[in-house]
Amino acid sequence: MRTITVPAVQEGQAIGVDLGGTKILAGVVAPDGSVVRRHERPTPQDSQEHVLAELEAAVAELVDDSIAALGFGAPSPIDQERGVVVRCVNVPLVDAPLRDRMHERFGLPVGLDNDANAAAVGEWKAGAGRGSDDLVMLTLGTGVGGGVISGGRPFRGANGAGAELGHVVIVDDGLPCQGACTGRGHLEAYVSGTAATVAARAAFGPSADAHRLVRLANEGDATARELLGGIGRRLGSGIGSFVNVFGPRLVVLGGGFGVAAFDHLREPAEEVARREALEPMRSTMRVVKAELGTAAGLIGAAFVGFEALDAA
Ligand SMILES: [Zn+2]
């Protein structure tokens, strides 16, 4: 007689949802950080209600009896007291009561976090930062996101809006920041993928972008390498300050541009960061590449869900 093996239902998994400007990435995540199942759908651009309905649909696609908690990462400051997504950059969500709405719909504990914080939690729990309870993560993409794990806890500030590490000043009265930020000389204006595209166009013409800059540098182009070296040194100025403030063992570089350009950015960034950092952090800090790629946000969001479960 043939035996049919029924896989045991694994208790206590969480669904993590990473809300991006173009895609909603959702996944069932086990307590060890492995992604068991995934689902992806486009992010609507027309209305808040539509976005909330699609987030619900993404969860509904994956939810079953094994799910103990839900977690969401959104490109927005989060009001942790009220469980509200304050204002997204590329998605029509303003003052959205995501925690209550998802709790009412699914009856599970719900955690919310900023997307860069969620990515930092993901890398800490299941990626480059495993076993390191003090780390700083910078995601270099369209903008620059930041996340801090300090003493084994995500740092979120008084109302959950920290840590916006991309918006520290590295040049007094320098380049204007992008989007809703009114500041000048912020790290983001110098080291984001957008900044790399601006530098690439100035050097290689209007059709160049950050991807081409990295490709040329990989092929040995001296100008491209020099430009990325300059970006790396600016990045090092920021990292040196973060190291002095948070005393991390690891600085994890993620985001599309951060990972693609890592081999060109790391050395100049570490050199400048070590010049700026004080001992003993200067000797102990290391800059490493993120490991989870585009899954960091959803894996981290799931752990934010587990955190809500523990607090429930
Ligand atoms: Zn800024």
Side-chain angles (χ1 to χ4, degrees):
M1 202 175 105
R2 210 166 59 176
T3 314
I4 299 168
T5 309
V6 180
V9 175
Q10 195 181 352
E11 292 291 341
Q13 304 181 121
I15 293 175
V17 181
D18 179 17
L19 172 62
T22 56
K23 279 181 289 191
I24 295 168
L25 299 176
V28 174
V29 178
D32 68 356
S34 56
V35 181
V36 182
R37 286 197 306 285
R38 279 174 197 256
H39 175 73
E40 184 181 322
R41 59 208 294 132
T43 304
Q45 298 296 333
D46 50 354
S47 73
Q48 174 148 318
E49 181 49 39
H50 197 184
V51 175
L52 293 171
E54 289 300 295
L55 288 170
E56 283 182 350
V59 173
E61 200 64 44
L62 295 169
V63 76
D64 62 22
D65 290 347
S66 75
I67 304 302
L70 309 176
F72 294 83
S76 165
I78 304 295
D79 182 334
Q80 290 288 355
E81 264 176 35
R82 298 188 300 136
V84 162
V85 175
V86 177
R87 176 181 290 272
C88 283
V89 191
N90 316 312
V91 182
L93 278 192
V94 178
D95 210 21
L98 191 59
R99 188 167 64 205
D100 284 354
R101 168 134 175 181
M102 294 297 158
H103 179 67
E104 278 159 26
R105 170 75 168 78
F106 296 103
L108 293 167
V110 176
L112 299 187
D113 215 335
N114 168 268
D115 58 350
N117 285 2
V121 170
E123 290 291 339
W124 167 46
K125 291 289 190 179
R130 270 188 312 274
S132 178
D133 281 346
D134 289 276
L135 68 82
V136 167
M137 178 159 180
L138 294 168
T139 51
L140 314 187
T142 310
V144 174
V148 175
I149 309 297
S150 182
R153 294 170 60 90
F155 171 89
R156 298 191 174 105
N159 57 7
E164 290 285 0
L165 303 181
H167 299 277
V168 301
V169 177
I170 59 163
V171 178
D172 176 53
D173 202 25
L175 295 174
C177 222
Q178 36 181 13
C181 181
T182 57
R184 301 187 78 95
H186 291 182
L187 183 63
E188 175 167 299
Y190 295 90
V191 309
S192 64
T194 309
T197 289
V198 170
R201 286 186 182 154
F204 300 106
S207 65
D209 62 6
H211 297 284
R212 177 143 164 240
L213 184 64
V214 172
R215 201 177 66 235
L216 287 167
N218 288 342
E219 289 164 8
D221 184 279
T223 305
R225 288 191 169 187
E226 202 182 304
L227 287 172
L228 287 176
I231 292 172
R233 284 189 293 279
R234 300 281 201 189
L235 180 62
S237 298
I239 289 174
S241 297
F242 303 143
V243 166
N244 283 335
V245 174
F246 298 107
R249 289 197 188 282
L250 288 184
V251 176
V252 182
L253 277 194
F257 174 65
V259 168
F262 181 81
D263 292 341
H264 302 285
L265 300 177
R266 187 190 60 83
E267 204 175 295
E270 272 196 352
E271 191 187 314
V272 172
R274 286 190 204 289
R275 184 185 74 200
E276 307 300 342
L278 303 177
E279 289 291 8
M281 290 87 85
R282 173 191 293 173
S283 302
T284 57
M285 66 84 99
R286 282 188 303 131
V287 178
V288 300
K289 182 159 68 172
E291 288 178 2
L292 300 180
T294 54
L298 81 87
I299 293 171
F303 279 100
V304 172
F306 284 129
E307 199 183 329
L309 176 65
D310 288 344

